[in-house]
Amino acid sequence: MSLLSLFINAGLSAVGAVICYRLILDYIPIFIARKMYGNDQCKVSNAPVPEPMGVICAAVYLIVMFVFIPFPFIEWIGMDTFPYAKLLAILSGLISISTAILLGFADDMLDLRWRHKLLFPTLSSLPLLMVYYVSGNSTTVIVPTIVRHLVQPFVVLPITINISFIYYIFMGMVIVFCTNAINILAGINGLESGQSLVISASVSLFNLVQVYRFGADENAAGFWHHIISLYFLLPFTACTAVLFYFNKYPSRVFVGDTFCYWSGMTLAVVSILGHFSKTLMLFFIPQTINFLYSIPQLFHLVPCPRHRLPKYDAESDTVSMSVAEFKKSQLKTLGSIFITICRSIRILYVEEFEKDGEIYVRMNNLTIINLVLKFFGPMHESSLNGLLMLIQMLCSCLAFFIRFYLASLFYDVVE
Amino acid sequence: MSLLSLFINAGLSAVGAVICYRLILDYIPIFIARKMYGNDQCKVSNAPVPEPMGVICAAVYLIVMFVFIPFPFIEWIGMDTFPYAKLLAILSGLISISTAILLGFADDMLDLRWRHKLLFPTLSSLPLLMVYYVSGNSTTVIVPTIVRHLVQPFVVLPITINISFIYYIFMGMVIVFCTNAINILAGINGLESGQSLVISASVSLFNLVQVYRFGADENAAGFWHHIISLYFLLPFTACTAVLFYFNKYPSRVFVGDTFCYWSGMTLAVVSILGHFSKTLMLFFIPQTINFLYSIPQLFHLVPCPRHRLPKYDAESDTVSMSVAEFKKSQLKTLGSIFITICRSIRILYVEEFEKDGEIYVRMNNLTIINLVLKFFGPMHESSLNGLLMLIQMLCSCLAFFIRFYLASLFYDVVE
């Protein structure tokens, strides 16, 4: 029955994609009329591009989910053993997702303050974590074999350790990280929707592999974990694919923060409901590197310009890395250390020059978009996005390799 | 324990009110900067008024609810008899409310098409109705004693009848009606927030009376029904009171469609979860009359101007009823019948006049705001709102009278 629901889910996802396509075309002129648009900074023409179109797809996604919810439960209706915990899991996930959409849309319209942007998703994940708790879900982690062997002379570690509330803190951090990770790796045509599409397709593939491995044992807990993830991800992948079609170079719509929060929260939610939040992090490798690389600018260890987008050259129709310039005297100690280390391992373009008797520093802005441009030189915007998509896909391959091959070397027990 | 949670809920509501107050002050300049404002058409100055401020209070409301959810369930944690159905009821209600907020905010920003505005709340209430279904909630209605006696010669009716799926259709209609009812009784300072405040305070009082009547029997189903309603309504009343403070004459903020949908959906949700949707309709008497009275214009049986707000007279600083003018030949048959009936029972101002050799009709716009102005003549905007609030309160008194006195005459069994 769970597999049958999965086919129904896939069918509804296809319907959702068609509706997304029509509604986007329908609402493009309405967005323009209401002055809800951005200007594409990497184009010669400065034509308005409707933004945030993500809200339309997100609304369709919610409706598809609402219509779908009854199907997995039809067989249980009227029975004493109704699987309340499973329905609770789905509803709590949808609450987090719908509030993330609301937050994103409010952010697009209002430019919310940072503290509200961090606090709101944390609090809106409370129902999800509470349901996780009352459903008696596991908070145990498996101790890597190598760690057990290393510490064996001193202490005998069990195969699994219950880390209890630390696990909840970890899950909360996954949610905050995911809802912001896609938002800070953004700015060129097709990047936000493209990376989300690659990640959600990869995670769906991972779920399908796991479902296949569990075989037809529908009662195995692991089976349900990957099925529920697919319930959320197939409609998401379908709606996002349509959005990507309009968002890819040259963008006819922009996705907005609405999409970034929706996308991040959906992926975080499925990883928590599906008990694979650590695996999810493997699929977020580019976003994680981008976040770590961005830290000095995000936390103002080095001066941060208002925009960190690549620089557009109209003559050659290419984009190249953008730079930040500042007086060397403005640098804090931590910033200097960061620059020295990055320079020595060649992951930073740095130049010093003199102006008006003072020493200035010029360095590339700290995003992996600029880092890719540093290595490969100026290129066309669509090539740049293609290259970033390729990196994302290679990281997905790496994630599969780590999850299915390396993990079996490090862990005795792997689901 | 349920009563203790109620005190915690009241405490959190108070905190929520304080946060609403601060955030509204915080975000007023942000709304203006982002050009999110309306212009007050009943004022001499045309100063911009931030809109839709309802979204800020709605966000605070959701957070208060998220923080509150664990409390009623603390005593059950880890027990085998965890009340899943109760948690499900709360979560499904929150899903409907949060999607209603999203819909309202999107409508404020985008002016959604009518079919989307009607379809979206219907579909977003699916989880709520499904939870109602799987929780084995009753779909029986009590047959009025008088009806049983009247039909007794022909057929013996039981005391209660299970109307099954018709009950679900009724609940769906309650949701669609409530989410739109407040939206169409709007347009003067303080009216949307004021009427919602009166209704939610009245329903809360009704719930408290019922909780008192059930005594301390926490296991009675009826007890829980009114407690869960209070869980949703106390924070709503607190946040709305603050919003009313800013929205009352002269408005410093406008509430927007966001608030109207949020308010309507919250009231609909509590009436369904609390099994008192028929009683709720008693508290919506002014809205129901307004809706019925508006039908000829809403469904274009008579021509409908773009705005139906009262007319502002700058010299006397008063508002008076606004009129619609059209050629008599434009009238459809149903429209003529409506006008004749309303005119004969004196609930419509109608005048005919000749211009350019054709007969024109001039009639007041069909809202109870204009109807009140027809009866009482032009008055100051704040007096008009005060009068409408008074009518709303009198209707609440009538609702209590019908529910607690008349109902006992018509029904053998009253909860």
Side-chain angles (χ1 to χ4, degrees):
Chain A
M1 193 62 193
S2 294
L3 282 178
L4 178 59
S5 318
L6 206 55
F7 285 113
I8 294 169
N9 183 284
L12 287 174
S13 303
V15 174
V18 174
I19 296 175
C20 275
Y21 180 82
R22 292 183 161 211
L23 281 184
I24 289 176
L25 288 178
D26 207 14
Y27 273 93
I28 283 178
I30 298 180
F31 274 66
I32 299 288
R34 296 284 302 191
K35 296 207 178 7
M36 288 168 61
Y37 53 74
N39 294 99
D40 200 328
Q41 293 176 19
C42 297
K43 298 285 178 301
V44 179
S45 82
N46 213 16
V49 181
E51 183 179 13
M53 198 50 81
V55 73
I56 298 293
C57 295
V60 173
Y61 173 77
L62 286 177
I63 294 297
V64 167
M65 289 303 291
F66 294 155
V67 172
F68 169 71
I69 294 174
F71 288 104
F73 299 97
I74 284 176
E75 62 178 315
W76 276 294
I77 278 172
M79 285 170 67
D80 288 339
T81 56
F82 189 87
Y84 286 109
K86 291 183 178 179
L87 183 53
L88 267 179
I90 293 180
L91 293 192
S92 64
L94 280 176
I95 285 184
S96 298
I97 292 171
S98 61
T99 47
I101 296 167
L102 181 63
L103 174 75
F105 193 43
D107 192 24
D108 274 318
M109 295 294 113
L110 283 166
D111 287 329
L112 300 177
R113 299 181 190 282
W114 261 103
R115 58 176 184 278
H116 300 154
K117 283 202 266 193
L118 289 180
L119 204 61
F120 198 83
T122 316
L123 293 172
S124 75
S125 62
L126 279 179
L128 183 70
L129 298 185
M130 181 193 166
V131 166
Y132 192 91
Y133 185 82
V134 302
S135 306
N137 280 307
S138 155
T139 52
T140 56
V141 289
I142 305 164
V143 183
T145 323
I146 191 161
V147 173
R148 285 220 319 283
H149 284 291
L150 279 176
V151 301
Q152 208 161 29
F154 317 103
V155 58
V156 178
L157 281 183
I159 294 174
T160 61
I161 296 183
N162 187 346
I163 56 173
S164 179
F165 75 95
I166 300 174
Y167 200 83
Y168 288 90
I169 294 173
F170 171 71
M171 289 190 289
M173 285 168 64
V174 166
I175 288 167
V176 173
F177 173 75
C178 289
T179 46
N180 288 288
I182 290 167
N183 213 4
I184 61 172
L185 179 52
I188 65 169
N189 286 186
L191 183 54
E192 297 95 323
S193 53
Q195 63 181 308
S196 302
L197 192 58
V198 172
I199 298 174
S200 76
S202 305
V203 176
S204 302
L205 181 63
F206 166 67
N207 294 141
L208 282 171
V209 169
Q210 292 293 65
V211 166
Y212 176 78
R213 287 174 73 204
F214 280 107
D217 183 9
E218 293 193 6
N219 295 321
F223 184 82
W224 165 252
H225 292 154
H226 295 283
I227 287 282
I228 192 177
S229 171
L230 286 167
Y231 288 164
F232 280 89
L233 281 185
L234 295 187
F236 175 77
T237 310
C239 294
T240 302
V242 174
L243 193 57
F244 177 68
Y245 171 79
F246 286 95
N247 182 230
K248 71 183 197 303
Y249 183 91
S251 286
R252 293 164 64 190
V253 307
F254 285 154
V255 299
D257 293 345
T258 315
F259 174 78
C260 299
Y261 286 109
W262 167 40
S263 164
M265 185 60 98
T266 304
L267 290 163
V269 160
V270 297
S271 80
I272 287 171
L273 294 178
H275 293 231
F276 57 84
S277 38
K278 295 187 297 302
T279 305
L280 181 74
M281 289 300 104
L282 296 176
F283 292 101
F284 269 83
I285 290 173
Q287 286 71 21
T288 310
I289 294 174
N290 184 60
F291 172 67
L292 295 175
Y293 190 57
S294 292
I295 283 179
Q297 284 193 329
L298 290 185
F299 293 91
H300 295 281
L301 305 181
V302 301
C304 181
R306 193 139 187 280
H307 288 291
R308 309 193 298 163
L309 295 178
K311 207 172 66 199
Y312 178 61
D313 179 52
E315 205 166 306
S316 59
D317 194 23
T318 58
V319 289
S320 57
M321 68 177 171
S322 64
V323 292
E325 290 180 1
F326 47 86
K327 290 178 192 163
K328 198 172 183 182
S329 54
Q330 283 180 287
L331 262 186
K332 292 169 188 165
T333 320
L334 277 173
S336 299
I337 296 173
F338 166 80
I339 287 178
T340 313
I341 294 176
C342 286
R343 188 182 214 167
S344 66
I345 54 174
R346 290 163 193 270
I347 57 167
L348 188 69
Y349 161 85
V350 193
E351 201 183 10
E352 291 187 7
F353 62 98
E354 226 187 284
K355 200 167 76 181
D356 307 334
E358 262 204 283
I359 297 174
Y360 278 75
V361 177
R362 179 188 292 143
M363 55 178 259
N364 65 285
N365 279 314
L366 302 171
T367 66
I368 59 167
I369 307 172
N370 287 309
L371 191 60
V372 164
L373 288 168
K374 173 193 178 306
F375 284 125
F376 294 91
M379 63 180 86
H380 190 263
E381 189 180 0
S382 79
S383 314
L384 175 59
N385 193 49
L387 188 54
L388 288 166
M389 290 304 99
L390 187 66
I391 293 173
Q392 188 78 48
M393 286 179 212
L394 290 176
C395 286
S396 283
C397 296
L398 178 67
F400 275 103
F401 175 74
I402 295 175
R403 179 63 179 79
F404 286 119
Y405 181 71
L406 280 193
S408 63
L409 301 183
F410 285 102
Y411 292 103
D412 287 340
V413 196
V414 180
E415 253 185 8
Chain B
M1 193 60 191
S2 295
L3 283 177
L4 177 58
S5 319
L6 206 55
F7 285 112
I8 294 170
N9 184 284
L12 287 173
S13 303
V15 174
V18 174
I19 296 175
C20 274
Y21 180 83
R22 293 182 158 210
L23 281 184
I24 289 176
L25 288 178
D26 208 12
Y27 273 94
I28 282 177
I30 299 180
F31 273 66
I32 299 289
R34 297 285 302 192
K35 297 205 178 12
M36 287 167 62
Y37 53 73
N39 293 98
D40 199 328
Q41 293 177 18
C42 298
K43 298 285 178 299
V44 179
S45 83
N46 214 15
V49 180
E51 183 178 14
M53 197 51 81
V55 72
I56 299 293
C57 295
V60 173
Y61 173 77
L62 287 178
I63 294 298
V64 168
M65 288 303 292
F66 294 156
V67 172
F68 169 70
I69 296 173
F71 289 103
F73 298 97
I74 284 175
E75 62 178 316
W76 276 293
I77 277 171
M79 285 170 65
D80 289 338
T81 57
F82 189 87
Y84 286 110
K86 290 182 179 181
L87 183 53
L88 266 178
I90 293 180
L91 293 192
S92 64
L94 280 176
I95 285 184
S96 298
I97 292 171
S98 62
T99 47
I101 296 167
L102 181 64
L103 173 75
F105 193 42
D107 192 25
D108 274 318
M109 295 294 113
L110 282 166
D111 286 330
L112 300 178
R113 299 180 190 283
W114 261 102
R115 58 175 184 278
H116 300 154
K117 284 201 265 192
L118 289 180
L119 204 60
F120 198 83
T122 316
L123 292 172
S124 75
S125 63
L126 279 179
L128 183 71
L129 298 185
M130 181 193 165
V131 166
Y132 193 91
Y133 186 81
V134 303
S135 306
N137 279 307
S138 155
T139 52
T140 55
V141 289
I142 304 165
V143 183
T145 323
I146 191 161
V147 174
R148 286 221 317 284
H149 284 290
L150 279 177
V151 302
Q152 210 162 28
F154 318 104
V155 58
V156 178
L157 282 182
I159 294 173
T160 61
I161 296 182
N162 187 346
I163 56 172
S164 179
F165 75 96
I166 300 174
Y167 200 83
Y168 288 91
I169 294 173
F170 170 71
M171 288 190 290
M173 285 168 64
V174 166
I175 288 168
V176 172
F177 173 74
C178 290
T179 47
N180 288 289
I182 290 166
N183 212 5
I184 61 173
L185 180 51
I188 65 170
N189 286 185
L191 182 55
E192 298 94 323
S193 53
Q195 62 181 310
S196 302
L197 192 58
V198 173
I199 298 174
S200 76
S202 305
V203 176
S204 302
L205 181 62
F206 166 67
N207 294 141
L208 283 171
V209 170
Q210 292 293 64
V211 166
Y212 177 77
R213 288 174 73 204
F214 279 107
D217 182 9
E218 294 194 5
N219 294 321
F223 184 83
W224 165 253
H225 292 155
H226 294 284
I227 286 282
I228 192 177
S229 171
L230 286 167
Y231 287 165
F232 281 89
L233 281 185
L234 294 187
F236 175 77
T237 311
C239 294
T240 301
V242 175
L243 193 57
F244 177 69
Y245 171 79
F246 286 95
N247 182 230
K248 72 182 195 304
Y249 183 91
S251 286
R252 292 164 65 190
V253 307
F254 285 154
V255 298
D257 294 344
T258 315
F259 174 77
C260 299
Y261 286 107
W262 167 40
S263 164
M265 184 60 98
T266 304
L267 291 163
V269 160
V270 298
S271 80
I272 288 172
L273 294 178
H275 293 233
F276 57 84
S277 37
K278 295 187 297 303
T279 305
L280 181 74
M281 288 302 102
L282 296 176
F283 292 101
F284 270 84
I285 290 173
Q287 286 70 22
T288 309
I289 294 174
N290 184 60
F291 173 67
L292 296 174
Y293 190 57
S294 293
I295 283 180
Q297 283 192 329
L298 289 185
F299 293 90
H300 295 281
L301 305 181
V302 300
C304 181
R306 199 145 180 277
H307 288 292
R308 309 191 299 163
L309 295 178
K311 207 170 67 199
Y312 178 63
D313 178 53
E315 205 165 306
S316 60
D317 194 23
T318 58
V319 287
S320 56
M321 68 177 171
S322 63
V323 293
E325 290 180 1
F326 47 86
K327 290 178 191 161
K328 197 172 182 181
S329 55
Q330 282 181 287
L331 263 186
K332 292 169 188 166
T333 320
L334 277 173
S336 299
I337 297 172
F338 166 81
I339 288 178
T340 312
I341 295 175
C342 286
R343 188 181 215 170
S344 66
I345 55 174
R346 290 161 193 273
I347 58 166
L348 187 70
Y349 161 85
V350 193
E351 199 183 14
E352 291 188 7
F353 62 97
E354 223 187 287
K355 201 168 76 180
D356 307 333
E358 262 202 282
I359 297 172
Y360 278 75
V361 176
R362 179 187 293 141
M363 55 177 259
N364 64 287
N365 280 313
L366 302 171
T367 66
I368 59 167
I369 306 172
N370 287 310
L371 191 60
V372 164
L373 288 169
K374 173 193 178 306
F375 286 123
F376 295 90
M379 64 180 85
H380 190 263
E381 189 179 0
S382 80
S383 315
L384 174 59
N385 193 50
L387 188 54
L388 288 166
M389 290 304 98
L390 187 67
I391 293 173
Q392 187 79 48
M393 284 177 214
L394 290 175
C395 287
S396 282
C397 296
L398 178 66
F400 275 102
F401 176 73
I402 295 177
R403 178 63 180 79
F404 285 120
Y405 181 71
L406 281 193
S408 62
L409 302 184
F410 285 104
Y411 293 104
D412 287 341
V413 196
V414 180
E415 254 187 8

